[in-house]
Amino acid sequence: MKKTLRDNYRLNPTPEQEAKLVKFGATARGIWNLLLSENMRRYEHDKTFLFYKDMASLLKDIKTFEEFNWIKAFDSAAAQQVARDLELAFKNVFTKGRLQRFPKHKISYKKKKRHNDSFRAVNNSNCIRIENGAISIPKVGKIPIILHRKLASKIKTVTIQYHHGKWGCSITQEVECKTAKQVLKTITGFDINSKQTVVGSDGFVVDNPKFLKQSKTKLNQLQRQLARRTKGSNRWQKTKQRINKLHGKISRQRLDFAHKISRQITNENDILVFEDLNVKGMQKFNGSMVADNVMGLITQLSKYKTELEGKLYHEIGRFEKSTGVCSECGQHHVLTLNDRNFTCTACETYQSRDLSAAKSIAKTGELDLIAAGIVARVTPTSQQKSAIKTKVFKLSKFAVGTEKKEAA
């Protein structure tokens, strides 16, 4: 099985190349607005929309007109990618279960005072390649790149964007996943909460670093400085850029932390069980805390890493109770947010709230996987006569049900 991966790299373009990148980003924005306006006009006329093939042929036809010479100077494959993005935006609006609004026109960076335009180039006929520390982009040239990680396979697409005061590119590649492991020796449940980022059923605990709180003093100082500036002045723009760069640093710290934690738990376990958290709903009550704890990001990164390693990732139901469930007898308790430890009313076991929740998640996930016929419990030959047996699972081919199998 193949999976598409995305890696981000820093670019160091020359002033001439930077001017071209800004121009191409503005061209991609102009094509988006042009196609969106045409679709809105078409819908008012006959209640229909243009889709990718129609939009691609429209771009080809209007290039012959003199007033659309700015499209002719742009990479044709990159222009087609804008049409694909707009088609996807239309489909998401009218797809059930997607809470996405109708596409909007993109505003010029001159009005917003931010260079956040981007464009995506496609690697057709090996036109995009990295040689001698530079990446070649169609109609731009060879741009110096900081290649901190080697490419795993052939480049598919490259998205170039000016973000937080730096030019960067996002490279997508198709990577072959490892063969699925037939014998899975460890299953671990993970509870994600506000105090600790991750608590594992095996005792693994990672505290929340709270990167936003670490930079809060500097951020408040810059925001007060911005409030004293005259809006729109040069000093106001410089202070706003400093705030933007600081937010970029915080986001990169969060992403780096999430990658390291997800890599560690993926390497140490064969079966990972998480909760299906409603992150958007939690952000309505305390958005800064949820964002600073990278709750949803860790589960996303862990999922694709387990697939690459040929391991198993599972999420229990969103409404399955895990908090306040005794890890020894399964008795349910009602706890407040201040109750970090509790004593079971049935077996009188004193236990941690988060650790018992992680153990409950692991048990629920194990029962779900066995009931679905995805895995089956096996007894290794070395443990058949032993009183202490560790849990060992084997991938099952049964669609429904399970059988106990003897390990070879």
Side-chain angles (χ1 to χ4, degrees), residues 30-77:
I31 293 173
W32 171 280
N33 292 338
L34 175 68
L35 295 176
L36 180 58
S37 299
E38 179 62 23
N39 272 282
M40 294 172 69
R41 187 194 65 79
R42 183 70 62 92
Y43 185 77
E44 289 178 0
H45 181 257
D46 56 5
K47 303 298 180 183
T48 60
F49 286 108
L50 294 173
F51 290 98
Y52 169 68
K53 289 186 178 179
D54 301 320
M55 288 189 282
S57 61
L58 176 64
L59 289 174
K60 186 177 180 180
D61 294 338
I62 63 176
K63 283 182 181 180
T64 57
F65 297 97
E66 186 177 352
E67 55 267 29
F68 293 106
N69 283 336
W70 53 277
I71 299 180
K72 191 181 295 186
F74 191 48
D75 180 24
S76 59

Side-chain angles (χ1 to χ4, degrees), residues 361-399:
I361 292 170
K363 288 180 181 178
T364 305
E366 178 184 342
L367 294 176
D368 289 348
L369 292 171
I370 292 176
I374 299 174
V375 298
R377 286 287 300 275
V378 297
T379 306
T381 307
S382 59
Q383 296 183 13
Q384 287 180 356
K385 296 181 180 180
S386 174
I388 302 175
K389 294 182 172 63
T390 58
K391 289 184 179 180
V392 179
F393 301 89
K394 186 175 181 180
L395 282 183
S396 175
K397 296 182 181 179
F398 301 117

